[in-house]
Amino acid sequence: MEVLRQARGQLAELTGMEAESVSSFEQTEEGWALEVEVLELERVPDTMSLMASYQVELDAEGQLTGYRRVRRYERGRSDARRPGGR
């Protein structure tokens, strides 16, 4: 759980946006890989707010080594499931 907290905090510090949730989390040979959901643009109604998924990579100590936005979507819309669950 501490790794998740660190990742969310580091991503927020770099992007200026708070993470809402972690949608995937796995240990890798180099450390950890996460997919984090972030509120990018708040709109009214809330279902129209713009969300984004970020792929975040951490080393074995939980320090962020890289991140990238992998998709953007409106909060109220679901997308077709992509191969590999992403």
Side-chain angles (χ1 to χ4, degrees), residues 54-68:
Y54 282 82
Q55 186 173 5
V56 178
E57 297 170 2
L58 307 168
D59 65 16
E61 286 78 41
Q63 295 300 307
L64 193 139
T65 59
Y67 74 95
R68 69 177 172 273

Side-chain angles (χ1 to χ4, degrees), residues 10-30:
Q10 292 175 69
L11 184 64
E13 189 173 339
L14 288 169
T15 64
M17 297 175 283
E18 291 295 320
E20 289 208 348
S21 64
V22 175
S23 56
S24 77
F25 175 70
E26 66 181 298
Q27 192 167 15
T28 65
E29 290 182 17
E30 295 80 30

Side-chain angles (χ1 to χ4, degrees), residues 16-81:
M17 297 175 283
E18 291 295 320
E20 289 208 348
S21 64
V22 175
S23 56
S24 77
F25 175 70
E26 66 181 298
Q27 192 167 15
T28 65
E29 290 182 17
E30 295 80 30
W32 305 93
L34 294 82
E35 191 162 314
V36 179
E37 307 304 315
V38 173
L39 174 64
E40 286 202 333
L41 179 62
E42 191 168 8
R43 292 184 176 156
V44 176
D46 188 49
T47 56
M48 297 302 292
S49 292
L50 192 58
M51 303 292 295
S53 293
Y54 282 82
Q55 186 173 5
V56 178
E57 297 170 2
L58 307 168
D59 65 16
E61 286 78 41
Q63 295 300 307
L64 193 139
T65 59
Y67 74 95
R68 69 177 172 273
R69 185 174 60 203
V70 292
R71 69 183 177 116
R72 291 177 91 184
Y73 58 97
E74 290 176 335
R75 184 189 296 270
R77 298 191 188 218
S78 61
D79 60 353
R81 193 143 180 86

